[in-house]
Structures are given as structure tokens and as C-alpha cells.
Amino acid sequence: RNCIKKKAALCLLRLYRTNPDILVMDDWNAQLSTLLGSRDLGVLTSVMSLVLDLTMASPDHFMGLAECVTLILDRLINKRDIPQMYNYYKIPCPWLQIKCLRWLSIYGPHSFPPQTTQAIESAIRGILENSSIVVDNKNNAHHAILIETVNLVIAWGAKGENMQSGMREQCMFFLARFLCTEDQNIKFLGLD
């Protein structure tokens, strides 16, 4: 059941954080790939928390999950194929989007096959084209996704020669907008 999968992933994450030697990284790639194929967003969010921590500790072992993570982003950003209860102020599952973007920023653009890189760029383009900066608390989730997208583009930086320069320009535009707002919190977000 999805409820048990979600709790098991969070329990494993807790055990891993307590004792990192408990897991043999090579044994988990296939199971995590299967779990990332789930349609349940609660399971995906829990598993992405686990995958993010495991990948930070050992990036080479989990590079094969790129296609799964890209499919999740495509589902959330381009297709918006999610249940209504996972929309937060018309933003599809922002906490999962942030985890996926953060996971992708661990790797460079040349780590993935060209088809996966194109799908990632399509997701980035979708975020940047549908973004705006508004001083309103309900837009905090939107701003967090935008900042993670900017961080991803910055992390890929010079390694992403094939990444469209228009995306970098859009990111610079959004950073400038963050810095020029009168709200101090948004200004500090841009500085960070």
C-alpha cells in the first residue's frame, strides 16, 4: 500500500541519517527506480527525500535515476497530471518540484543522455515561462521553485554549453527582479 511505502521510505531515511553505514548503495538503485515510477505523489515526495540524501552522499550510484526524476518533473510542470489535493495555490506539488530540481543540480548536464537533458531543459523552460515575482505569502512556494530553477541553471553553468543561453538570461532577469523588489525577504532570497 502507498501509505506503507511512504512511511518505509521516511523510516529508511531516518535510519540512514542516524547510521549511514547501514545501507549498501549498490543494492538500492533498482528499488528506488521502481518507487519513483509510482503515480502516488505522497510516495514520490517521500522517496525523493531519501534519494536526495543518498545521492548527496554517493552521486555515482544514483545517476541512473535521472530519467525517473525527469518524468516526474514533466508530469508536474508540463502535463500537470496530478490530483487536485496536491495543488498548492494552483502550483502542482511544489515541494516535490523543489526536491527534483535540487537532485538534478547535483549532476552536470553532460551526466545524462541528450534526450534526458532536453526533457530537463523543457521543464526548466516551463518553469521560467510561467513565473513571475509577486509580493504575497501564497507565492512563497512559487518563489522557492523559481530559486531552485535558477540554482540549477547556475550549477550547470559553464558545463551547459548546449543549454540555451535564453534560459540563463531569464534566470539573470529573475535574479535582478528579486533584488529590485521592495520586500526585504524577497531581496534577501535573491541575494542568497
Side-chain angles (χ1 to χ4, degrees), residues 3-180:
C3 174
I4 293 172
K5 290 177 186 176
K6 183 170 50 175
K7 290 181 180 183
L10 292 175
C11 181
L12 187 59
L13 175 61
R14 176 71 180 205
L15 288 171
Y16 174 74
R17 286 179 178 167
T18 306
N19 185 5
D21 300 329
I22 198 169
L23 293 178
V24 178
M25 299 294 184
D26 295 330
D27 298 343
W28 287 95
N29 214 347
Q31 287 97 341
L32 292 173
S33 179
T34 303
L35 287 170
L36 287 175
S38 174
R39 298 288 300 164
D40 185 86
L41 292 174
V43 171
L44 289 176
T45 303
S46 300
V47 172
M48 270 312 296
S49 296
L50 176 62
V51 167
L52 194 57
D53 268 29
L54 293 176
T55 303
M56 282 194 243
S58 181
D60 296 336
H61 286 96
F62 299 102
M63 196 179 308
L65 299 176
E67 187 176 339
C68 298
V69 174
T70 305
L71 288 173
I72 293 168
L73 271 179
D74 183 54
R75 179 179 166 203
L76 294 174
I77 296 166
N78 296 331
K79 295 178 183 166
R80 295 183 175 260
D81 175 29
I82 65 165
Q84 184 63 33
M85 67 184 193
Y86 283 98
N87 276 326
Y88 179 76
Y89 289 104
K90 299 181 183 178
I91 301 170
C93 206
W95 44 93
L96 182 56
Q97 286 186 49
I98 291 167
K99 288 177 186 191
C100 290
L101 291 166
R102 196 170 286 163
W103 185 86
L104 289 169
S105 69
I106 293 172
Y107 300 103
H110 300 298
S111 304
F112 309 125
Q115 190 176 27
T116 303
T117 304
Q118 289 173 353
I120 294 167
E121 288 179 5
S122 171
I124 292 171
R125 224 178 350 275
I127 292 171
L128 293 175
E129 288 172 0
N130 297 319
S131 295
S132 62
I133 297 174
V134 180
V135 181
D136 193 350
N137 283 341
K138 69 181 181 183
N139 287 312
N140 286 341
H142 183 71
H143 292 157
I145 293 169
L146 184 57
I147 286 295
E148 280 304 322
T149 304
V150 169
N151 285 338
L152 174 61
V153 172
I154 290 170
W156 283 19
K159 295 181 272 185
E161 301 92 22
N162 60 350
M163 183 181 283
Q164 294 180 356
S165 62
M167 280 191 246
R168 286 193 207 114
E169 291 169 2
Q170 279 183 301
C171 288
M172 287 187 283
F173 169 76
F174 279 115
L175 280 177
R177 295 266 321 268
F178 271 104
L179 294 173
C180 292

